[in-house]
Amino acid sequence: MWRPEPSDADLPVRIAEAGLDRDVLLAAYRRMCLIRVFEEAVRSRYWIGKTSTFNMAAEPIRGELHLAIGHEAVAVGVCALLGDADAVVSTHRAHHHALAKGVDPGRLAAEMFGKATGLCRGKGGEMHLFARNKRFLNSGIVGASYPQAAGAAFSFQRQGNRNLAVAFSGEGAANHGTFSETLNAAALWQLPLVIVIEDNLYADATPKWAAQAVNQQFQRAQSHNVPAYLVDGMDVIDVHAAARRAVDRARDGYGPTVIEAVCYRYRGHFEGDPENYRTREEVELWQRLDPIPRLADRLRRLGWADDATLTGLREAAAHDAVQAVRFAEDSPPPEPVEALAGVFA
Amino acid sequence: MLSGIAPAISEAIDQEMAGNPNVVVLGEDVTYWGAVFGFTAGLFQKYGRERVIDTPITEQTFMGMAVGAAATGLRPVVSLMFVDFLGTCFDQIYNHMAKNHYMSGGQFPMPVTIVTAVGGGYGDAGQHSELLYGLFGNVPGIKVVVPATAHDAKGLTATALADPNPVVIFGHKLLTGHPGVPFEGEEEDVPKDPYTIPFGQAAVRREGTDLTIIATALMVRRSLQAAARLAEHGISAEVIDVRTLVPLDIDTLVASARRTGRVLLVDEDYRSFGTTGELAFRIQAGAFDRLRAPIHRVAVPDVPIPFAEPLEQAVIPSVTRIVDAARALTGVPATAR
Ligand SMILES: Cc1ncc(C[n+]2csc(CCOP(=O)(O)OP(=O)(O)O)c2C)c(N)n1
Ligand SMILES: [Mg+2]
């Protein structure tokens, strides 16, 4: 949901209301750049061996690749408020969530390359990214994130701490029964849970209009007495403003919140997607709202960063991404016998 | 000529839809993406959203709708995009679709055809690479169809669509002919006109005298390649394609086992408590006095399918592993190549 830009006079007020300041915004900018450059770097490696005929089995990165280019502001706007002890449960589209939560980029990349140094020692792959030190969990089964995050929230509530759990999902996932079931349980027990829906208008090749009886998923939250925010997911300030309220509410013991962030994925559902369900023009229209240049523009207008500062942040992010991919490429593959280990703890 | 089982299956559905207005196709991404691997490709363009319906991501609901629709006059064809998603809807399948005819004393047949993509080997990891037909075969009331060729896929799908019972068609991704994944099938002459292939008839794909290799889907292709290699070493392998696990053509399997005296079962499903154990039990019951060695099997060891290539290759049966197992079974040491 795009909103008119706040005037320069209103901008500082909105930023303050969102609980943001210069340092947080500069860090958010750098993190969003890291996600973007990381994904672009991974994408370029993914297509090696796949350009003449697209074949998912081709090395160096096999299987599916679900990029989140265009979704960066949602992940960063929410995760900027989380600590290592808070839990995040993500989905098939998970790279941005992992990086925003602080998961090590090198080990993340190594997992996508199927290396022994990967987060999951090469056993999980890009749809199954786990990082215990960041309480980051993941599933490639759509709709699975909600109840698992509710379970983590339940655990925090029982343990009497101020941690919370975040379930990320797409808008398509929210049609799944697990969404309604989780809303009911979380509202009933006032669990410290935040559900973040990235509404990118499509689930695979299925447009929202063909799959939803209500236009926005937050309407469903309200029927379970769960407060909900509809935010501009291409605007990290807007996301952060809603997330701050939701996170405070959860930590203070007042229960769950839904944040529905309208955003857009600039790439296909996965790499190799024929994208026969949307037009080029539509993609170009959304490109004008790219969350990264938008944030840069605001930082400049506020006088919080000049071009040199922004370039410096971008270059630092690019450096981290390059290092991560290099680490992945230089790492050894797992030994075949590893395949048989680890079914049971 | 057709390349792959996916166009063969969509052609069979198309031919049934043309003559039977009660056939509807339900599932995720069955329109623009033809159920991802092409099992429903072209149907939306021909029949429109009235009969080819993209569902929300709600497997439990659309499987349940298939139960209700089948009870009241429709003939649903349902896409379960990947078989690995069955956990989200198995209740509707095994407690209802599979049991309603029996529990209602025969009042409610359940003419539902489920088409689902199965198999690994291209890096899709633990939640998108399984076979799981053993789970379905374990439930009374579900027919289990596992085509290995485009010709069979078309004929078996036509049979499924005429069957008054729930039938699940397991389409192996590496046989679909879909361009995004490797193709291990071949171009085949598939008749344009509709035809059926009866359930419960295994196919002997290659005759041999030293051992019988029994397989399904992709493993039939790999077993045939293994048989060719074994022949170079003087081992004559018979290769049988089971084609349908339920109903099972046990007679063909037993007859072959009695002839060769040695049986190697090759399966891409998990090893324990599943298809290979069941086949071994039934084969020994009919061929015990003629078996010259214990029945062997090559299957996925009991681990989830791992992502990285060397790990995945270590668990999914390969031609080499089939050859090695056949050599061990026939007493030709694997090292004496
Ligand atoms: C239970 C289940 N059903 C179907 C799928 C296949 N699938 C993977 S992603 C996807 C679309 C998800 O759409 P959405 O939730 O909007 O997330 P997005 O991809 O748009 O980020 C589907 C249908 C799955 N992985 N799990
Ligand atoms: Mg979506």
Side-chain angles (χ1 to χ4, degrees), chain B residues 201-217:
Chain B
Q201 287 189 5
V204 177
R205 298 288 182 201
R206 177 185 175 118
E207 294 188 350
T209 52
D210 295 331
L211 83 157
T212 302
I213 302 178
I214 297 171
T216 58

Side-chain angles (χ1 to χ4, degrees), chain A residues 64 66-67 71 91-93 96 127 139-144 146 169-174 176 197-206 212 265 269, chain B residues 28-29 33 36 57-59 62 80-82 84-86 88 127-128:
Chain A
E64 301 181 42
H66 302 87
L67 298 176
H71 290 215
T91 70
H92 59 285
R93 198 177 307 288
H96 56 323
M127 272 193 283
S139 173
I141 301 296
V142 168
Y146 309 117
S169 84
E171 89 296 336
H176 218 274
I197 299 173
E198 290 173 9
D199 177 0
N200 61 9
L201 315 184
Y202 296 92
D204 285 354
T206 301
Q212 283 180 212
R265 61 166 161 72
H269 171 74
Chain B
E28 290 150 18
D29 301 297
W33 277 4
V36 181
I57 308 172
T58 51
E59 289 83 3
F62 65 74
L80 179 59
M81 190 188 285
F82 287 69
D84 317 63
F85 308 158
L86 102 108
T88 62
Q127 296 174 336
H128 288 73

